[in-house]
Amino acid sequence: MGLLLGVNIFLLIFITITFYLLTRLRNTSLMNDVETIYTGENGMENFGLLDKLNGLDHLPYWQGSPCNDIRASEGSFFPPREVTKKDIVHVFDKDLCRIWPLRYRWDEVKNGVTVGRYTPDDNMLTSGDRYKDNKCFCPGRQSCPPDGLQDISPCQFDAPVFLSYPHFYGMKNKEITSAVEGLSPDKEKHETFLKIQQKLGVPLEARVRVQLNLKVTHSNYGIARKFPSIMFPIVWVEEGAEELPDYLIRWIYLSTTLCSWLVPFVSYGTIVLGAFLIVSAFIKAYRKVVFTRENLELGKAKLRRGSSFFINGQHRLLIIRDSYTLLQDQPTVAETSFDPDP
């Protein structure tokens, strides 16, 4: 009994020191990282995505794509889905040693703003033995870890650290889960998700939940003979943001929800108002120029002169017509008497 208690205490101390050293060294290295990201100046397709990390355009831990890809967001901005037309976004976290593919699931409303809910892709932690895109996460191995686990020792100073979801959420390997007591996986508590506004690419809520596990291998030497081969959960962590400041939410609401119906209303209203003003100005100018008292009197005078001219002209035509006589009514030259000496 005393030996078993001593083994447990030794194991606890060893795990605590290992975890402390890993997190201490990782936090120190993260402070010196230099990230280069796309600002969207030349197009929103890559807005917010990493271009380089510490001068590298790939992750040095893995050999080959897609495992060493770095083209992902660090979590603050994403390319708008209305621009990319894609259902997958990628998030990079150096502690996780890889980019995480998150798949769009459905729309929901948060604080009056419509957002898309994204959760990890179904194949993110699928074993490389069954999913070829994950094969490059287990280099130098004849077989990869089972579904639900990923070996991240290359970026954890070669310590036997494995990544999983909290409480082995979603894992179907009974050999691993049955060796640990107290597991109670819960979707609401342990699922990673992001809620991203689709037009702006801004997350309104984010929860990244992961668990770090230490692989303990049975040995026949000394006190280690009491250690079983087990995937020992060290700690599970949650990072993210639940609420944005109120003033940011108001601006996001105005620029996405309110403007979506206000802009067409203002646009068409401006067109109608402009047409009305143009017609009103034309009518007003026409009345001012044409229907003034002077113009009306001048028009009346012209009408009177025109009427008099028409009447007088008609009389002249009648007089001229009455003065005509037909040639056949005039006496001929032969019949006319002529007296040279009157």
Side-chain angles (χ1 to χ4, degrees), residues 216-228:
V216 180
T217 304
H218 175 73
S219 175
N220 292 322
Y221 295 97
I223 196 174
R225 288 180 298 178
K226 299 294 183 179
F227 293 170

Side-chain angles (χ1 to χ4, degrees), residues 65-104:
S65 180
C67 297
N68 65 352
D69 288 349
I70 202 174
R71 192 61 57 86
S73 170
E74 45 78 37
S76 300
F77 303 98
F78 294 87
R81 183 167 176 258
E82 293 192 355
V83 175
T84 62
K85 309 299 181 183
K86 296 180 180 179
D87 291 338
I88 295 285
V89 298
H90 295 88
V91 181
F92 173 71
D93 190 329
K94 191 174 181 179
D95 286 327
L96 307 180
C97 308
R98 61 171 294 180
I99 62 175
W100 278 40
L102 302 178
R103 180 174 293 276
Y104 167 79

Side-chain angles (χ1 to χ4, degrees), residues 9 36 39 50 64 69 136 160 190 196 237 268 273 302:
I9 294 175
T36 306
T39 61
L50 285 170
D69 288 349
C136 48
H190 303 140
I196 304 175
V237 295
Y268 291 116
L273 179 61
K302 288 183 177 180

